[in-house]
Amino acid sequence: MPNSSTSILIIYTGGTIGMKENPETGALAPFNFDQILNEVPELRKFGFNIDTISFNPLVDSSDITPEFWIELAKIIQEGYYKYNGFVILHGTDTMSYSASALSFMLKNLHKPVVFTGSQLPIGKLRTDGKDNLISAIEIAAATSNGQSLVPEVTVFFENQLFRGNRTTKYNSEHFNAFRSNSYPALAQAGISIKYNYTHIGYPTQHHDFTISTHFSNNVAVLTLFPGITPAIVDSVLSTPDVKAVILHSYGSGNGPSSEWFIERIKNAVDKGILIFNVTQCKAGGVNMSKYDNGLLLKKVGVIGGKDITFEAAVVKLMFLVGKNLTFVELKKQVQESISGEISN
Ligand code: ASP
């Protein structure tokens, strides 16, 4: 149970949630988040300390870059021992990417980091932002015997708490914008918040909290579609300095069996480019041994992404390539879970 000494930090980065109608123009504009207690007076009822910090400038999340993730991680590092939990208000468009990034960057995390946002601005009558914010704060503050109930990087949206690196933005209009198709929800908010303890990741070691801040942009995505041409494949695989490519494949990790295609993939692997097979399907995963077409990819050295989401896969490649690993080590680590983003 939280008590009066509980302290939560809300980090407002931008996005729809923090907008309010300008009474003169009728247009939506970000409001001064220091005034959040005036906008959402219900927050006073928590009876504990809530601090806020706002990014300057505020960003539409489609402008987010790795530098932004680093800034976020540093804010959490600075406040790590002062606060019991963190709530990050973030645009929904790239929330799954940012939650994945933070889940990889924050090492030995023992406190909740809850991302949320909204489909309607907090200043609108029918906003989903208030409920999302209030529940996210409650989750960030929730403890039992002094231990945080959800010491993970998560996404809370429309009654459900998900592991952040398992989420995907699924709907651009409905309030339930996110899904986690390959991992169960960590909590459901109804009359009370019911936690799914068996699926929450609890730290097994007690090392000090640190952050890892190296990302590389030398990754690319090759999305397959019927009729893809050698020129398109070449343009991706011969991107200067590219070190890792997501092969955004069909079904359980299949692609064309044509000689020209397999040969190009093989040449890329032989040059030391990691080819990471991630399915275009929204659920299930990659199993390259299921069909002959998948097996051809496996035989030339493509690595299967199992049930990882596209968003987590992109960020994971950026994160691991940023570590300057050897090719052998990169291939090994990409298949292992860093923070529960991929099943063993
Ligand atoms: N474009 C906005 C953003 O991602 C949408 C939102 O806030 O949900 O920042």
Side-chain angles (χ1 to χ4, degrees):
M1 286 295 284
N3 54 44
S4 57
S5 65
T6 300
S7 227
I8 298 296
L9 180 64
I10 301 178
I11 307 169
Y12 175 47
T13 68
T16 304
I17 190 166
M19 307 237 172
K20 193 176 153 186
E21 225 160 78
N22 179 331
E24 278 151 36
T25 62
L28 291 171
F31 70 86
N32 178 353
F33 227 75
D34 299 342
Q35 309 294 315
I36 183 71
L37 288 177
N38 297 340
E39 290 304 321
V40 192
E42 297 90 327
L43 295 184
R44 292 183 214 276
K45 293 194 185 154
F46 276 122
F48 50 71
N49 179 53
I50 298 175
D51 287 343
T52 61
I53 179 167
S54 290
F55 267 54
N56 186 10
L58 296 166
V59 276
D60 182 296
S61 78
S62 18
D63 278 324
I64 270 160
T65 59
E67 288 69 38
F68 166 94
W69 298 331
I70 293 168
E71 206 177 325
L72 257 183
K74 286 187 174 158
I75 293 174
I76 292 172
Q77 185 180 39
E78 264 168 42
Y80 190 75
Y81 294 102
K82 178 169 177 204
Y83 296 101
N84 302 82
F86 302 84
V87 172
I88 302 178
L89 301 182
H90 190 291
T92 54
D93 290 350
T94 59
M95 191 184 288
S96 297
Y97 293 88
S98 294
S100 298
L102 269 287
S103 79
F104 301 146
M105 298 167 85
L106 308 180
K107 300 274 160 220
N108 307 315
L109 181 67
H110 286 68
K111 300 188 177 187
V113 174
V114 188
F115 277 80
T116 195
S118 68
Q119 296 283 60
L120 275 180
I122 220 158
K124 285 263 191 195
L125 204 55
R126 288 183 54 250
T127 186
D128 51 332
K130 278 191 187 179
D131 284 351
N132 286 348
L133 175 62
I134 291 168
S135 297
I137 294 174
E138 186 164 337
I139 291 163
T143 54
S144 170
N145 297 325
Q147 303 295 313
S148 297
L149 286 191
V150 193
E152 287 207 36
V153 178
T154 54
V155 165
F156 182 84
F157 228 86
E158 174 73 353
N159 303 333
Q160 286 191 296
L161 182 75
F162 300 119
R163 175 169 291 165
N165 58 32
R166 292 283 188 157
T167 60
T168 220
K169 183 173 177 183
Y170 166 79
N171 200 310
S172 61
E173 286 182 359
H174 291 174
F175 286 154
N176 59 345
F178 287 87
R179 284 204 175 173
S180 166
N181 290 316
S182 58
Y183 201 76
L186 303 183
Q188 298 277 351
I191 293 172
S192 62
I193 298 180
K194 290 208 163 49
Y195 293 92
N196 183 359
Y197 295 105
T198 47
H199 286 94
I200 297 172
Y202 290 100
T204 47
Q205 290 173 334
H206 285 271
H207 298 308
D208 285 347
F209 173 78
T210 54
I211 62 171
S212 202
T213 56
H214 298 285
F215 284 96
S216 166
N217 292 338
N218 291 329
V219 307
V221 178
L222 177 58
T223 298
L224 297 180
F225 59 92
I228 191 167
T229 61
I232 295 172
V233 174
D234 286 343
S235 71
V236 176
L237 296 181
S238 60
T239 306
D241 298 322
V242 75
K243 298 280 185 303
V245 174
I246 289 188
L247 177 64
H248 207 194
S249 62
Y250 306 128
S252 52
N254 302 311
S257 57
S258 348
E259 215 175 296
W260 68 263
F261 179 73
I262 298 296
E263 204 177 280
R264 279 169 169 79
I265 298 290
K266 180 177 183 313
N267 288 343
V269 174
D270 291 347
K271 273 201 290 184
I273 298 175
L274 173 82
I275 309 287
F276 195 41
N277 190 342
V278 177
T279 177
Q280 293 174 23
C281 290
K282 293 292 172 215
V286 165
N287 172 1
M288 288 185 284
S289 304
K290 206 165 166 188
Y291 294 92
D292 277 353
N293 283 37
L295 211 49
L296 286 173
L297 293 169
K298 189 175 178 182
K299 281 190 183 145
V300 296
V302 172
I303 303 294
K306 298 183 244 179
D307 58 355
I308 197 166
T309 63
F310 175 76
E311 294 87 335
V314 170
V315 180
K316 187 172 187 177
L317 291 189
M318 295 173 81
F319 184 73
L320 291 180
V321 171
K323 283 182 157 190
N324 278 324
L325 304 167
T326 61
F327 190 45
V328 172
E329 203 42 45
L330 180 63
K331 282 196 290 189
K332 181 173 167 280
Q333 291 194 22
V334 81
Q335 298 175 74
E336 295 169 353
S337 156
I338 303 174
S339 52
E341 75 286 357
I342 193 168
S343 300
N344 290 319

